[in-house]
Structures are given as C-alpha cells and as structure tokens.
C-alpha cells in the first residue's frame, strides 16, 4: 500500500522527571509506537511528547495534539496513564476532545477499532462513572460529618480579615472614615471587625 493511501496516525508519549530512566522512558514508548504503526500499516506522521505530570490535561504536547486532530485518524499511546492518570479526564478526552478518532493503548492491548477494544473502553467508562459518584459521595459525607462536629463551612466573613488592622487603627485614634479609606472597606465591615467577639 502506498503512503498516500495509508491511514494517518500520531503517537503520544509522556514521562515525568523521575521516570526518565525507568521502564516507560521516552525511547521505549517511541519505539513501541513506531513498531505498532509499521506492523499495522499506519502512516505515523508525528509523535507528540510531554515531560510533565499526568494529573492534568493542560500539557503542551496534549494541547498541540488536539490542535492537529484534523490531521490524523488514529492515536497510538504506549500506556493509558501516559495519556492521563485520571479515568474521568481520560474518558472526557476520548469522548469529547478526540471524538471520532480511534485510540490504541499498546500495553493494555486496547484498540478502539476492534469490538473488543470498544468493549474495554465502555467498561472503563463505567469505572469512570463509579469514580465520579464515589467522589461526590465522599464530599457529601465529609460535609455532613463536619456539620455534625460543629465546624462552620464556607469562607470566613469578610470583616474577620480586618479585625486586627481595624483595632490597631482605632487605638491610634483614627476615625471610622479614615479607617475605611485606608483599608478600602465600608463602614459596616469596619464596625463588625472592631466589635466582633467584644463582650
């Protein structure tokens, strides 16, 4: 098959600083992606790379890949956590930002072009939904426990931030108008800050 008739593919590789000399180094990932594309007659046009943590999708390599998404049909990644360590972020990337593209994860042997690969990704989506519900449940439990313990939730009232400053300025003999002008607060906030906790 001529190069012109081949399906265009790109690769994505990532390491964090501490992983440079470990099992999943850039060279290992790159060789595996090239070998896969040769074996499956894919036209590998580019390999994008990042050397940052996989906890966020705001990485230069990922962003460049997304900008070029109209140039390829298949994305080949060495391992799932190279693309993202968050199942939720991973599914969002596959189903939204890279919708319509075929994704291949070499280590996990997931190929979205096959029915088996699509099945595995659907299972991954189920885990992502479970993870999302678990996070929400933990947050609710934490808030409930805090409330039962008498912990006040939410940001501190604005006036509490100015208590010490207002009291110091009053002790120096400044009037309320001068204090409000210096601190950039209104009269009500200044008074609350001064008299809060006063007996």
């Amino acid at each position: 098959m001529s190069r012109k008739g081949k399906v265009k593919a790109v690769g994505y590789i990532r390491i964090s600083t501490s992983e440079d000399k470990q099992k999943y180094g850039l060279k290992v990932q790159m060789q595996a992606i090239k070998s896969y594309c040769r074996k499956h007659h894919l036209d590998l046009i580019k390999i994008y790379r990042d050397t940052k943590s996989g906890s966020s999708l705001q990485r230069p390599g990922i962003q460049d890949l997304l900008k070029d998404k109209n140039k390829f049909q298949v994305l080949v990644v060495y391992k799932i956590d190279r693309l993202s360590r968050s199942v939720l972020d991973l599914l969002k990337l596959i189903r939204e930002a890279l919708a319509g593209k075929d994704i291949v994860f070499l280590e996990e042997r997931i190929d979205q072009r096959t029915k088996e690969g699509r099945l595995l990704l659907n299972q991954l989506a189920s885990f992502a939904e479970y993870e999302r519900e678990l996070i929400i449940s933990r947050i609710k439990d934490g808030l409930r426990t805090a409330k039962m313990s008498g912990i006040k939730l939410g940001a501190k009232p604005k006036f509490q931030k100015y208590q010490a400053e207002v009291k110091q300025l009053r002790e120096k003999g400044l009037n309320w108008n001068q204090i409000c002008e210096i601190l950039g607060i209104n009269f009500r906030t200044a008074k609350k800050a001064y008299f809060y906790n006063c007996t």
Side-chain angles (χ1 to χ4, degrees):
M1 184 185 290
S2 68
R3 182 183 177 90
K4 186 176 180 181
K6 285 185 178 181
V7 173
K8 295 189 181 301
V10 297
Y12 176 78
I13 58 179
R14 181 190 64 79
I15 59 163
S16 61
T17 305
S18 62
E19 295 172 325
D20 192 23
K21 296 180 180 179
Q22 295 181 14
K23 182 179 178 182
Y24 304 125
L26 291 178
K27 187 175 180 180
V28 172
Q29 296 178 55
M30 192 179 298
Q31 288 176 342
I33 290 170
K34 287 180 177 178
S35 175
Y36 177 88
C37 289
R38 280 196 301 269
K39 182 178 178 181
H40 292 83
H41 308 290
L42 298 173
D43 181 10
L44 181 62
I45 59 176
K46 186 173 182 178
I47 295 179
Y48 299 84
R49 68 173 64 188
D50 276 310
T51 53
K52 290 187 176 182
S53 169
S55 60
S56 168
L57 295 178
Q58 298 305 313
R59 290 172 255 146
I62 283 287
Q63 295 306 310
D64 287 344
L65 184 153
L66 294 178
K67 288 176 186 175
D68 295 341
K69 65 181 180 180
N70 293 327
K71 299 179 181 179
F72 63 90
Q73 291 81 47
V74 181
L75 168 62
V76 185
V77 185
Y78 184 70
K79 198 169 184 283
I80 284 178
D81 68 3
R82 300 301 88 189
L83 197 56
S84 177
R85 286 184 177 141
S86 164
V87 179
L88 293 174
D89 283 346
L90 178 67
L91 265 294
K92 184 177 181 180
L93 187 66
I94 293 173
R95 291 187 163 185
E96 295 178 20
L98 291 172
K101 305 298 178 184
D102 291 321
I103 319 293
V104 178
F105 297 106
L106 300 180
E107 279 282 286
E108 292 81 6
R109 297 184 179 181
I110 295 176
D111 187 338
Q112 202 175 359
R113 296 173 300 169
T114 68
K115 60 180 183 296
E116 293 83 5
R118 290 190 291 274
L119 175 63
L120 288 170
L121 283 176
N122 284 334
Q123 290 176 337
L124 198 61
S126 297
F127 282 116
E129 180 62 21
Y130 172 73
E131 181 183 350
R132 186 186 70 82
E133 291 178 356
L134 195 61
I135 290 169
I136 292 172
S137 177
R138 284 173 178 168
I139 290 171
K140 287 181 177 178
D141 288 345
L143 292 174
R144 192 181 302 112
T145 301
K147 192 174 182 179
M148 290 173 63
S149 302
I151 299 172
K152 292 183 178 180
L153 303 172
K156 286 185 177 180
K158 182 180 178 181
F159 71 85
Q160 289 188 22
K161 297 190 296 183
Y162 297 99
Q163 280 182 272
E165 292 155 297
V166 170
K167 288 178 180 178
Q168 285 176 5
L169 293 173
R170 283 296 287 170
E171 288 170 3
K172 291 179 180 179
L174 276 68
N175 62 40
W176 294 112
N177 288 334
Q178 291 170 322
I179 291 172
C180 290
E181 186 177 347
I182 291 170
L183 298 178
I185 58 178
N186 58 39
F187 178 75
R188 184 180 178 186
T189 300
K191 292 278 279 189
K192 277 189 174 182
Y194 185 73
F195 291 107
Y196 182 70
N197 279 343
C198 287
T199 56

Short mmCIF file of all heavy atoms in Angstrom, two decimals, residues 102-156:
data_model
loop_
_atom_site.label_atom_id
_atom_site.label_comp_id
_atom_site.label_asym_id
_atom_site.label_seq_id
_atom_site.Cartn_x
_atom_site.Cartn_y
_atom_site.Cartn_z
N ASP A 102 -9.80 7.00 16.50
CA ASP A 102 -9.56 5.68 17.05
C ASP A 102 -8.33 5.73 17.94
O ASP A 102 -7.27 6.22 17.53
CB ASP A 102 -9.34 4.66 15.93
CG ASP A 102 -10.62 4.40 15.14
OD1 ASP A 102 -11.69 4.34 15.78
OD2 ASP A 102 -10.54 4.28 13.91
N ILE A 103 -8.48 5.26 19.19
CA ILE A 103 -7.38 5.31 20.15
C ILE A 103 -6.86 3.90 20.39
O ILE A 103 -7.64 2.95 20.54
CB ILE A 103 -7.84 5.90 21.51
CG1 ILE A 103 -8.77 7.11 21.29
CG2 ILE A 103 -6.63 6.26 22.36
CD1 ILE A 103 -8.12 8.31 20.67
N VAL A 104 -5.54 3.77 20.44
CA VAL A 104 -4.90 2.49 20.70
C VAL A 104 -3.99 2.63 21.91
O VAL A 104 -3.14 3.53 21.95
CB VAL A 104 -4.08 2.01 19.48
CG1 VAL A 104 -3.39 0.68 19.80
CG2 VAL A 104 -4.95 1.88 18.25
N PHE A 105 -4.16 1.75 22.90
CA PHE A 105 -3.26 1.69 24.07
C PHE A 105 -2.50 0.38 23.99
O PHE A 105 -3.10 -0.70 24.13
CB PHE A 105 -4.07 1.79 25.37
CG PHE A 105 -4.81 3.09 25.54
CD1 PHE A 105 -6.19 3.14 25.38
CD2 PHE A 105 -4.13 4.26 25.83
CE1 PHE A 105 -6.88 4.33 25.53
CE2 PHE A 105 -4.81 5.46 25.98
CZ PHE A 105 -6.18 5.50 25.83
N LEU A 106 -1.20 0.46 23.78
CA LEU A 106 -0.42 -0.73 23.48
C LEU A 106 -0.29 -1.69 24.65
O LEU A 106 -0.51 -2.90 24.49
CB LEU A 106 0.97 -0.32 22.99
CG LEU A 106 0.99 0.56 21.72
CD1 LEU A 106 2.42 0.89 21.34
CD2 LEU A 106 0.28 -0.15 20.58
N GLU A 107 0.08 -1.19 25.82
CA GLU A 107 0.30 -2.07 26.97
C GLU A 107 -0.96 -2.80 27.38
O GLU A 107 -0.92 -3.98 27.73
CB GLU A 107 0.83 -1.25 28.16
CG GLU A 107 2.32 -0.97 28.11
CD GLU A 107 3.13 -2.19 28.52
OE1 GLU A 107 3.18 -2.52 29.72
OE2 GLU A 107 3.72 -2.83 27.62
N GLU A 108 -2.08 -2.11 27.35
CA GLU A 108 -3.35 -2.72 27.75
C GLU A 108 -4.02 -3.50 26.61
O GLU A 108 -5.04 -4.15 26.83
CB GLU A 108 -4.33 -1.64 28.25
CG GLU A 108 -3.93 -0.97 29.56
CD GLU A 108 -2.89 0.13 29.38
OE1 GLU A 108 -2.55 0.46 28.22
OE2 GLU A 108 -2.41 0.67 30.39
N ARG A 109 -3.44 -3.40 25.41
CA ARG A 109 -3.97 -4.07 24.22
C ARG A 109 -5.42 -3.66 23.94
O ARG A 109 -6.27 -4.49 23.63
CB ARG A 109 -3.87 -5.59 24.36
CG ARG A 109 -2.43 -6.07 24.47
CD ARG A 109 -2.33 -7.57 24.52
NE ARG A 109 -0.93 -7.99 24.61
CZ ARG A 109 -0.54 -9.26 24.66
NH1 ARG A 109 -1.45 -10.23 24.61
NH2 ARG A 109 0.74 -9.56 24.75
N ILE A 110 -5.65 -2.36 24.06
CA ILE A 110 -6.97 -1.80 23.76
C ILE A 110 -6.88 -1.08 22.42
O ILE A 110 -6.11 -0.13 22.26
CB ILE A 110 -7.43 -0.81 24.85
CG1 ILE A 110 -7.64 -1.54 26.18
CG2 ILE A 110 -8.73 -0.12 24.44
CD1 ILE A 110 -8.00 -0.62 27.34
N ASP A 111 -7.65 -1.54 21.46
CA ASP A 111 -7.69 -0.94 20.13
C ASP A 111 -9.14 -0.58 19.82
O ASP A 111 -9.98 -1.46 19.63
CB ASP A 111 -7.14 -1.92 19.08
CG ASP A 111 -7.01 -1.27 17.71
OD1 ASP A 111 -7.69 -0.25 17.45
OD2 ASP A 111 -6.24 -1.79 16.89
N GLN A 112 -9.43 0.70 19.79
CA GLN A 112 -10.80 1.16 19.61
C GLN A 112 -11.39 0.78 18.25
O GLN A 112 -12.60 0.84 18.05
CB GLN A 112 -10.86 2.68 19.81
CG GLN A 112 -12.24 3.21 20.17
CD GLN A 112 -12.21 4.69 20.47
OE1 GLN A 112 -11.16 5.33 20.42
NE2 GLN A 112 -13.36 5.26 20.78
N ARG A 113 -10.55 0.34 17.34
CA ARG A 113 -11.04 -0.06 16.02
C ARG A 113 -11.65 -1.46 16.03
O ARG A 113 -12.29 -1.87 15.07
CB ARG A 113 -9.89 0.01 15.01
CG ARG A 113 -9.34 1.42 14.80
CD ARG A 113 -8.12 1.41 13.92
NE ARG A 113 -7.04 0.61 14.50
CZ ARG A 113 -5.94 0.26 13.86
NH1 ARG A 113 -5.77 0.61 12.59
NH2 ARG A 113 -5.01 -0.45 14.47
N THR A 114 -11.44 -2.19 17.14
CA THR A 114 -11.99 -3.54 17.25
C THR A 114 -13.16 -3.56 18.24
O THR A 114 -13.25 -2.70 19.12
CB THR A 114 -10.92 -4.53 17.74
OG1 THR A 114 -10.58 -4.21 19.11
CG2 THR A 114 -9.66 -4.44 16.88
N LYS A 115 -14.02 -4.55 18.11
CA LYS A 115 -15.17 -4.65 19.03
C LYS A 115 -14.70 -4.91 20.46
O LYS A 115 -15.31 -4.45 21.42
CB LYS A 115 -16.15 -5.72 18.56
CG LYS A 115 -15.61 -7.13 18.44
CD LYS A 115 -16.71 -8.07 17.95
CE LYS A 115 -16.23 -9.53 17.89
NZ LYS A 115 -15.15 -9.72 16.90
N GLU A 116 -13.60 -5.68 20.61
CA GLU A 116 -13.06 -5.94 21.93
C GLU A 116 -12.54 -4.65 22.58
O GLU A 116 -12.74 -4.41 23.77
CB GLU A 116 -11.92 -6.96 21.87
CG GLU A 116 -12.35 -8.35 21.46
CD GLU A 116 -12.46 -8.52 19.94
OE1 GLU A 116 -12.11 -7.57 19.21
OE2 GLU A 116 -12.90 -9.61 19.51
N GLY A 117 -11.86 -3.83 21.76
CA GLY A 117 -11.35 -2.56 22.26
C GLY A 117 -12.46 -1.63 22.69
O GLY A 117 -12.36 -0.96 23.73
N ARG A 118 -13.51 -1.58 21.90
CA ARG A 118 -14.66 -0.72 22.25
C ARG A 118 -15.33 -1.20 23.53
O ARG A 118 -15.77 -0.41 24.36
CB ARG A 118 -15.65 -0.67 21.09
CG ARG A 118 -15.13 0.10 19.88
CD ARG A 118 -16.22 0.35 18.85
NE ARG A 118 -16.65 -0.89 18.20
CZ ARG A 118 -16.05 -1.41 17.13
NH1 ARG A 118 -15.00 -0.80 16.59
NH2 ARG A 118 -16.50 -2.53 16.56
N LEU A 119 -15.38 -2.52 23.71
CA LEU A 119 -15.97 -3.09 24.93
C LEU A 119 -15.16 -2.69 26.15
O LEU A 119 -15.72 -2.28 27.18
CB LEU A 119 -16.02 -4.62 24.81
CG LEU A 119 -16.50 -5.37 26.07
CD1 LEU A 119 -17.93 -4.99 26.40
CD2 LEU A 119 -16.36 -6.88 25.86
N LEU A 120 -13.84 -2.79 26.06
CA LEU A 120 -12.97 -2.42 27.18
C LEU A 120 -13.09 -0.94 27.53
O LEU A 120 -13.08 -0.57 28.70
CB LEU A 120 -11.52 -2.78 26.85
CG LEU A 120 -11.20 -4.28 26.86
CD1 LEU A 120 -9.80 -4.53 26.30
CD2 LEU A 120 -11.30 -4.83 28.27
N LEU A 121 -13.22 -0.09 26.51
CA LEU A 121 -13.37 1.34 26.77
C LEU A 121 -14.72 1.64 27.42
O LEU A 121 -14.83 2.53 28.26
CB LEU A 121 -13.22 2.14 25.47
CG LEU A 121 -11.78 2.33 24.99
CD1 LEU A 121 -11.76 3.06 23.65
CD2 LEU A 121 -10.96 3.11 26.00
N ASN A 122 -15.75 0.87 27.04
CA ASN A 122 -17.05 1.03 27.69
C ASN A 122 -16.98 0.62 29.17
O ASN A 122 -17.60 1.26 30.03
CB ASN A 122 -18.11 0.19 26.98
CG ASN A 122 -18.55 0.82 25.67
OD1 ASN A 122 -18.47 2.03 25.50
ND2 ASN A 122 -19.01 0.00 24.74
N GLN A 123 -16.20 -0.41 29.45
CA GLN A 123 -16.00 -0.82 30.84
C GLN A 123 -15.26 0.27 31.60
O GLN A 123 -15.55 0.55 32.77
CB GLN A 123 -15.22 -2.13 30.89
CG GLN A 123 -16.02 -3.33 30.39
CD GLN A 123 -15.20 -4.60 30.37
OE1 GLN A 123 -13.97 -4.57 30.31
NE2 GLN A 123 -15.87 -5.74 30.41
N LEU A 124 -14.29 0.88 30.92
CA LEU A 124 -13.54 1.98 31.52
C LEU A 124 -14.47 3.15 31.85
O LEU A 124 -14.35 3.79 32.89
CB LEU A 124 -12.45 2.44 30.55
CG LEU A 124 -11.30 3.26 31.10
CD1 LEU A 124 -10.52 2.48 32.16
CD2 LEU A 124 -10.37 3.70 29.98
N ALA A 125 -15.42 3.39 30.97
CA ALA A 125 -16.39 4.46 31.19
C ALA A 125 -17.24 4.18 32.43
O ALA A 125 -17.57 5.10 33.19
CB ALA A 125 -17.29 4.61 29.96
N SER A 126 -17.58 2.91 32.62
CA SER A 126 -18.35 2.52 33.81
C SER A 126 -17.55 2.79 35.08
O SER A 126 -18.09 3.28 36.08
CB SER A 126 -18.72 1.04 33.74
OG SER A 126 -19.57 0.79 32.64
N PHE A 127 -16.25 2.47 35.05
CA PHE A 127 -15.40 2.75 36.19
C PHE A 127 -15.30 4.26 36.45
O PHE A 127 -15.26 4.71 37.59
CB PHE A 127 -14.01 2.16 35.98
CG PHE A 127 -13.92 0.69 36.23
CD1 PHE A 127 -13.60 -0.19 35.20
CD2 PHE A 127 -14.17 0.17 37.50
CE1 PHE A 127 -13.54 -1.56 35.43
CE2 PHE A 127 -14.11 -1.20 37.73
CZ PHE A 127 -13.78 -2.07 36.69
N ALA A 128 -15.25 5.04 35.37
CA ALA A 128 -15.16 6.50 35.50
C ALA A 128 -16.41 7.06 36.18
O ALA A 128 -16.34 7.94 37.03
CB ALA A 128 -14.98 7.14 34.12
N GLU A 129 -17.56 6.53 35.77
CA GLU A 129 -18.82 6.98 36.38
C GLU A 129 -18.86 6.60 37.86
O GLU A 129 -19.30 7.38 38.70
CB GLU A 129 -20.00 6.35 35.64
CG GLU A 129 -21.37 6.74 36.17
CD GLU A 129 -21.65 8.23 36.06
OE1 GLU A 129 -21.00 8.91 35.24
OE2 GLU A 129 -22.51 8.72 36.82
N TYR A 130 -18.38 5.39 38.16
CA TYR A 130 -18.33 4.96 39.56
C TYR A 130 -17.40 5.86 40.36
O TYR A 130 -17.71 6.25 41.49
CB TYR A 130 -17.84 3.51 39.61
CG TYR A 130 -17.57 3.01 41.01
CD1 TYR A 130 -18.62 2.71 41.88
CD2 TYR A 130 -16.26 2.84 41.47
CE1 TYR A 130 -18.37 2.25 43.16
CE2 TYR A 130 -16.02 2.40 42.75
CZ TYR A 130 -17.07 2.10 43.59
OH TYR A 130 -16.81 1.67 44.88
N GLU A 131 -16.23 6.20 39.77
CA GLU A 131 -15.28 7.08 40.45
C GLU A 131 -15.90 8.45 40.72
O GLU A 131 -15.74 9.01 41.81
CB GLU A 131 -14.02 7.25 39.57
CG GLU A 131 -12.95 8.14 40.20
CD GLU A 131 -11.76 8.35 39.27
OE1 GLU A 131 -11.68 7.67 38.24
OE2 GLU A 131 -10.92 9.21 39.59
N ARG A 132 -16.65 8.97 39.74
CA ARG A 132 -17.29 10.28 39.90
C ARG A 132 -18.30 10.23 41.05
O ARG A 132 -18.35 11.12 41.90
CB ARG A 132 -17.98 10.68 38.60
CG ARG A 132 -18.56 12.09 38.61
CD ARG A 132 -19.35 12.36 37.34
NE ARG A 132 -20.58 11.60 37.31
CZ ARG A 132 -21.70 11.97 37.94
NH1 ARG A 132 -21.73 13.09 38.64
NH2 ARG A 132 -22.78 11.22 37.87
N GLU A 133 -19.13 9.19 41.07
CA GLU A 133 -20.14 9.06 42.12
C GLU A 133 -19.50 8.86 43.49
O GLU A 133 -20.01 9.35 44.51
CB GLU A 133 -21.07 7.89 41.80
CG GLU A 133 -21.97 8.14 40.59
CD GLU A 133 -22.85 6.95 40.26
OE1 GLU A 133 -22.70 5.90 40.93
OE2 GLU A 133 -23.67 7.08 39.33
N LEU A 134 -18.38 8.15 43.52
CA LEU A 134 -17.66 7.93 44.77
C LEU A 134 -17.11 9.24 45.33
O LEU A 134 -17.18 9.50 46.53
CB LEU A 134 -16.52 6.93 44.53
CG LEU A 134 -15.87 6.29 45.77
CD1 LEU A 134 -16.90 5.50 46.56
CD2 LEU A 134 -14.72 5.40 45.34
N ILE A 135 -16.56 10.07 44.44
CA ILE A 135 -16.03 11.36 44.87
C ILE A 135 -17.14 12.23 45.45
O ILE A 135 -16.98 12.85 46.51
CB ILE A 135 -15.35 12.08 43.67
CG1 ILE A 135 -14.06 11.36 43.29
CG2 ILE A 135 -15.05 13.54 44.01
CD1 ILE A 135 -13.46 11.81 41.98
N ILE A 136 -18.27 12.28 44.75
CA ILE A 136 -19.41 13.08 45.22
C ILE A 136 -19.88 12.58 46.58
O ILE A 136 -20.17 13.36 47.49
CB ILE A 136 -20.56 13.03 44.19
CG1 ILE A 136 -20.16 13.77 42.92
CG2 ILE A 136 -21.84 13.64 44.78
CD1 ILE A 136 -21.14 13.62 41.78
N SER A 137 -19.96 11.25 46.74
CA SER A 137 -20.41 10.65 47.99
C SER A 137 -19.47 11.00 49.14
O SER A 137 -19.91 11.33 50.25
CB SER A 137 -20.50 9.13 47.83
OG SER A 137 -20.85 8.52 49.04
N ARG A 138 -18.16 10.95 48.88
CA ARG A 138 -17.17 11.27 49.92
C ARG A 138 -17.27 12.74 50.34
O ARG A 138 -17.13 13.07 51.51
CB ARG A 138 -15.77 10.97 49.41
CG ARG A 138 -15.44 9.48 49.40
CD ARG A 138 -14.11 9.22 48.73
NE ARG A 138 -13.77 7.81 48.74
CZ ARG A 138 -12.78 7.28 48.04
NH1 ARG A 138 -12.05 8.05 47.24
NH2 ARG A 138 -12.51 5.99 48.11
N ILE A 139 -17.49 13.62 49.36
CA ILE A 139 -17.62 15.04 49.68
C ILE A 139 -18.84 15.27 50.56
O ILE A 139 -18.78 15.98 51.57
CB ILE A 139 -17.73 15.87 48.38
CG1 ILE A 139 -16.39 15.86 47.63
CG2 ILE A 139 -18.15 17.31 48.69
CD1 ILE A 139 -16.45 16.48 46.25
N LYS A 140 -19.96 14.64 50.20
CA LYS A 140 -21.19 14.79 50.98
C LYS A 140 -21.02 14.25 52.39
O LYS A 140 -21.46 14.87 53.37
CB LYS A 140 -22.35 14.08 50.28
CG LYS A 140 -22.86 14.80 49.04
CD LYS A 140 -24.02 14.05 48.42
CE LYS A 140 -24.59 14.79 47.21
NZ LYS A 140 -25.70 14.05 46.58
N ASP A 141 -20.35 13.08 52.52
CA ASP A 141 -20.11 12.50 53.84
C ASP A 141 -19.22 13.41 54.68
O ASP A 141 -19.45 13.58 55.88
CB ASP A 141 -19.44 11.13 53.71
CG ASP A 141 -20.40 10.07 53.18
OD1 ASP A 141 -21.62 10.32 53.20
OD2 ASP A 141 -19.93 9.00 52.73
N GLY A 142 -18.21 14.00 54.03
CA GLY A 142 -17.29 14.90 54.74
C GLY A 142 -18.01 16.15 55.24
O GLY A 142 -17.79 16.59 56.37
N LEU A 143 -18.87 16.71 54.40
CA LEU A 143 -19.62 17.90 54.80
C LEU A 143 -20.59 17.58 55.94
O LEU A 143 -20.75 18.38 56.87
CB LEU A 143 -20.40 18.44 53.59
CG LEU A 143 -19.56 19.03 52.45
CD1 LEU A 143 -20.45 19.37 51.26
CD2 LEU A 143 -18.80 20.27 52.92
N ARG A 144 -21.22 16.41 55.85
CA ARG A 144 -22.17 16.00 56.88
C ARG A 144 -21.44 15.82 58.22
O ARG A 144 -21.92 16.27 59.27
CB ARG A 144 -22.86 14.71 56.47
CG ARG A 144 -24.06 14.36 57.33
CD ARG A 144 -24.71 13.05 56.89
NE ARG A 144 -25.13 13.09 55.50
CZ ARG A 144 -24.60 12.38 54.52
NH1 ARG A 144 -23.59 11.57 54.78
NH2 ARG A 144 -25.03 12.47 53.28
N THR A 145 -20.29 15.16 58.20
CA THR A 145 -19.51 14.94 59.42
C THR A 145 -19.04 16.25 60.01
O THR A 145 -19.09 16.46 61.23
CB THR A 145 -18.28 14.04 59.11
OG1 THR A 145 -18.73 12.81 58.57
CG2 THR A 145 -17.47 13.79 60.36
N ALA A 146 -18.58 17.17 59.16
CA ALA A 146 -18.11 18.47 59.63
C ALA A 146 -19.24 19.25 60.29
O ALA A 146 -19.06 19.88 61.34
CB ALA A 146 -17.53 19.26 58.46
N LYS A 147 -20.41 19.20 59.68
CA LYS A 147 -21.56 19.91 60.22
C LYS A 147 -21.96 19.34 61.58
O LYS A 147 -22.28 20.09 62.52
CB LYS A 147 -22.73 19.81 59.23
CG LYS A 147 -23.88 20.75 59.55
CD LYS A 147 -24.93 20.70 58.44
CE LYS A 147 -26.06 21.68 58.75
NZ LYS A 147 -27.09 21.66 57.67
N MET A 148 -21.95 18.01 61.71
CA MET A 148 -22.30 17.36 62.98
C MET A 148 -21.28 17.68 64.08
O MET A 148 -21.61 17.69 65.26
CB MET A 148 -22.40 15.84 62.78
CG MET A 148 -23.60 15.41 61.95
SD MET A 148 -23.58 13.63 61.56
CE MET A 148 -23.71 12.94 63.21
N SER A 149 -20.04 17.96 63.66
CA SER A 149 -18.98 18.28 64.62
C SER A 149 -18.97 19.77 64.98
O SER A 149 -18.11 20.22 65.75
CB SER A 149 -17.61 17.89 64.05
OG SER A 149 -17.59 16.51 63.73
N GLY A 150 -19.88 20.51 64.40
CA GLY A 150 -19.96 21.93 64.71
C GLY A 150 -18.99 22.80 63.94
O GLY A 150 -18.79 23.97 64.26
N ILE A 151 -18.39 22.24 62.90
CA ILE A 151 -17.46 23.02 62.08
C ILE A 151 -18.23 23.88 61.10
O ILE A 151 -19.10 23.39 60.38
CB ILE A 151 -16.49 22.08 61.31
CG1 ILE A 151 -15.67 21.26 62.30
CG2 ILE A 151 -15.59 22.88 60.38
CD1 ILE A 151 -14.83 20.17 61.62
N LYS A 152 -17.92 25.15 61.10
CA LYS A 152 -18.59 26.07 60.18
C LYS A 152 -17.95 25.95 58.81
O LYS A 152 -16.74 26.05 58.67
CB LYS A 152 -18.50 27.51 60.69
CG LYS A 152 -19.30 27.74 61.96
CD LYS A 152 -19.24 29.20 62.38
CE LYS A 152 -20.08 29.44 63.63
NZ LYS A 152 -20.03 30.86 64.07
N LEU A 153 -18.78 25.75 57.81
CA LEU A 153 -18.29 25.56 56.44
C LEU A 153 -18.39 26.86 55.66
O LEU A 153 -19.17 27.75 56.00
CB LEU A 153 -19.11 24.48 55.74
CG LEU A 153 -19.11 23.12 56.46
CD1 LEU A 153 -20.10 22.19 55.80
CD2 LEU A 153 -17.72 22.51 56.46
N GLY A 154 -17.59 26.94 54.62
CA GLY A 154 -17.62 28.14 53.78
C GLY A 154 -16.53 29.13 54.17
O GLY A 154 -15.81 28.97 55.16
N ALA A 155 -16.41 30.16 53.37
CA ALA A 155 -15.38 31.18 53.60
C ALA A 155 -15.69 32.00 54.84
O ALA A 155 -16.84 32.18 55.22
CB ALA A 155 -15.28 32.10 52.38
N LYS A 156 -14.63 32.50 55.49
CA LYS A 156 -14.82 33.38 56.64
C LYS A 156 -15.46 34.69 56.19
O LYS A 156 -15.18 35.17 55.09
CB LYS A 156 -13.46 33.69 57.28
CG LYS A 156 -12.86 32.55 58.06
CD LYS A 156 -11.59 33.00 58.75
CE LYS A 156 -11.00 31.88 59.60
NZ LYS A 156 -9.76 32.30 60.28
#
